[in-house]
Amino acid sequence: MCVEGLEDVEAHLLRGIRKVIGPDVLVSASMDLHGNVSRELVHQTDLITCYRTAPHVDVIETRERTCRNLVELLSKSWTSGLFRPIKAWVPIPILLPGEQTSTRVEPAKRVYDAVSGIEAKEGVLDAAIWVGYAWADEPRNRAAVVVTGRDRTAVSEGAEKLAQVFWDAHQEFTFVAPTGSFTECLDAAVASKADERPYFISDSGDNPTAGGSGDVSWGLTKLLARPEFQDTSGPTVIYASVPGKIAVAKATEAGVGATVTVTAGAEIENIHAGPLTMTGRVHSIKKGDKYAIVEVVLQIGSVFAILTQRPKPYHHEHDFTDLDLKPRSADIVIVKIGYLEPELYDMSKGWMLGLTPGGVDQDIERLGHRRIRRPMWPFDRTFTSKPDLTARIISSSNEPLEGIDE
């Protein structure tokens, strides 16, 4: 999380929890690997682990592991009192977007494959690697390794090995798909052959599941300005999505088949484009979605634009088919996402990652970070010395945390 006026908000939250439950209660936490793990956060938890896949297909397994680890600790609460695990933390001066660290491909696949080997060592209970969150600007933003267990040597050596594997690969990280400007992506999609369709484009700068507002209208504005899509005979395009509460209400009142003029988007983020006014035919309406609340599909030329009452991620095929859309037979599908989630990835025949503007702009070096620790890859391409990847042993929550957050 990022909260104005608070540094390291997860640690702040845990300190509040500790005031209620006390320092002796064991706390086990599961997290997204796209997060920032400070020394204080490790101090406040007894066990901390995270996903090992991106896209995150191991969410349930991670939660189960978190519970198993906690039960393991509770089962060791014999006569000498509660067993507190030894925690080794290594911060790594790397800060990359998730779209450069997908475990589908190298080098992230190799880096995360090393986790299970460390976890299997005698005296180790859990091992985890966080790649960091690139779109915040705080001193804690960087990659990190945490290994926990009962053997200090095994825990320390395991953490240092994982950190070294990550650092050794730092120059290899690149985007998970071919990238380009939005114009370049659209040009490639229009020029694609039949066996390359549906051609997916990631409108990555406004990905709501990565921290984007989901309400940037820039992509849809640029899309509707293209002459190829201004007639119903043009290539079929699905665009997901832009929120607009008033627009959705107006289209819903008009009903399927009606032609309406509505304005949507840019209620939260209008830096790159203002609210978009468009005229189209209401193709479908769906009520009761747990994220969007109400969804409306508006056909404008050959573009089927999804408008929502509230921002919603579109990760599954049914997200489209529920709206009487057929993504598999569309020519182009544009989704506010980074790397494609598994169902979208399986549907795609062609794919480009659009380097589009928004709160989670993939071109992180142009965002102007000022408060991250330096040097930091890729903001700094030259390091005068090797980074210190020595394991820091973090005290338990019922002991004082000494030293500084190095």
Side-chain angles (χ1 to χ4, degrees):
M1 291 184 286
C2 244
V3 176
E4 289 186 13
L6 289 177
E7 293 286 324
D8 196 0
V9 64
E10 283 87 4
H12 177 84
L13 174 63
L14 267 172
R15 283 194 295 270
I17 292 171
R18 284 291 184 192
K19 287 180 181 179
V20 176
I21 66 174
D24 295 325
V25 175
L26 295 172
V27 173
S28 184
S30 65
M31 299 183 179
D32 188 324
L33 61 84
H34 298 123
N36 303 296
V37 177
S38 68
R39 190 168 179 264
E40 175 70 12
L41 185 63
V42 179
H43 172 60
Q44 294 293 339
T45 54
D46 297 287
L47 289 160
I48 183 171
T49 192
C50 68
Y51 308 152
R52 296 171 180 175
T53 62
H56 309 312
V57 297
D58 65 331
V59 175
I60 299 301
E61 292 88 341
T62 303
R63 291 173 181 170
E64 289 178 348
R65 184 172 68 251
T66 304
C67 294
R68 284 198 306 272
N69 288 345
L70 181 59
V71 170
E72 172 71 10
L73 256 65
L74 292 172
S75 70
K76 303 297 182 183
S77 305
W78 3 252
T79 54
S80 59
L82 287 173
F83 163 61
R84 314 295 291 216
I86 298 166
K87 299 171 289 187
W89 170 74
V90 184
I92 310 169
I94 301 173
L95 188 60
L96 294 167
E99 283 60 42
Q100 291 189 21
T101 53
S102 171
T103 58
R104 284 189 182 126
V105 295
E106 298 293 356
K109 184 180 186 301
R110 178 172 76 248
V111 171
Y112 274 85
D113 281 348
V115 171
S116 58
I118 298 300
E119 184 185 51
K121 290 185 177 296
E122 183 70 27
V124 173
L125 183 59
D126 189 85
I129 300 173
W130 286 260
V131 301
Y133 184 73
W135 298 292
D137 190 15
E138 299 177 18
R140 64 179 176 142
N141 299 140
R142 54 189 167 178
V145 168
V146 179
V147 177
T148 55
R150 61 170 57 251
D151 185 294
R152 184 187 180 105
T153 299
V155 164
S156 297
E157 290 180 352
E160 290 174 1
K161 181 176 180 179
L162 288 179
Q164 192 64 55
V165 169
F166 200 156
W167 177 253
D168 288 346
H170 75 275
Q171 295 187 38
E172 299 178 44
F173 287 96
T174 187
F175 285 110
V176 69
T179 60
S181 67
F182 197 53
T183 296
E184 291 169 334
C185 292
L186 288 173
D187 288 344
V190 170
S192 63
K193 299 177 181 178
D195 62 357
E196 297 176 299
R197 298 181 177 183
Y199 197 104
F200 274 69
I201 298 173
S202 296
D203 185 354
S204 63
D206 193 34
N207 177 4
T209 61
S213 67
D215 125 291
V216 174
S217 60
W218 186 89
L220 184 56
T221 299
K222 296 293 184 183
L223 175 67
L224 295 179
R226 295 276 298 220
E228 301 98 325
F229 312 122
Q230 292 179 2
D231 188 88
T232 56
S233 61
T236 302
V237 185
I238 298 172
Y239 185 91
S241 60
V242 172
K245 184 176 181 180
I246 296 174
V248 166
K250 184 175 180 179
T252 302
E253 183 179 2
V256 173
T259 298
V260 296
T261 298
V262 296
T263 300
E267 293 180 9
I268 299 170
E269 188 171 339
N270 59 8
I271 298 171
H272 307 287
L276 173 61
T277 299
M278 63 205 106
T279 299
R281 175 185 172 275
V282 180
H283 172 76
S284 62
I285 300 169
K286 179 192 171 187
K287 299 179 180 180
D289 185 85
K290 69 175 181 177
Y291 298 112
I293 311 301
V294 181
E295 299 163 278
V296 168
V297 178
L298 202 64
Q299 183 181 1
I300 309 141
S302 63
V303 175
F304 291 81
I306 302 175
L307 308 181
T308 61
Q309 184 173 327
R310 293 181 182 174
K312 172 189 173 176
Y314 286 77
H315 290 175
H316 305 285
E317 186 170 4
H318 76 81
D319 290 330
F320 301 94
T321 56
D322 288 351
L323 297 171
D324 194 25
L325 295 172
K326 300 176 182 178
R328 291 182 184 271
S329 59
D331 295 305
I332 304 168
V333 181
I334 304 172
V335 183
K336 289 183 175 180
I337 200 170
Y339 50 65
L340 296 181
E341 293 295 322
E343 289 187 29
L344 307 187
Y345 185 79
D346 291 341
M347 280 193 288
S348 67
K349 299 293 181 61
W351 173 32
M352 282 189 75
L353 184 75
L355 300 179
T356 55
V360 287
D361 191 330
Q362 295 292 321
D363 190 351
I364 59 173
E365 293 174 70
R366 69 184 177 190
L367 292 179
H369 288 70
R370 295 181 177 87
R371 303 183 61 236
I372 58 173
R373 297 170 186 268
R374 307 296 287 265
M376 183 76 68
W377 181 270
F379 303 91
D380 302 292
R381 300 283 175 163
T382 302
F383 285 67
T384 56
S385 61
K386 293 182 179 180
D388 180 6
L389 302 181
T390 304
R392 288 74 157 168
I393 300 299
I394 309 299
S395 59
S396 297
S397 57
N398 59 354
E399 302 171 353
L401 180 63
E402 298 178 355
I404 60 172
D405 186 6
E406 299 173 1

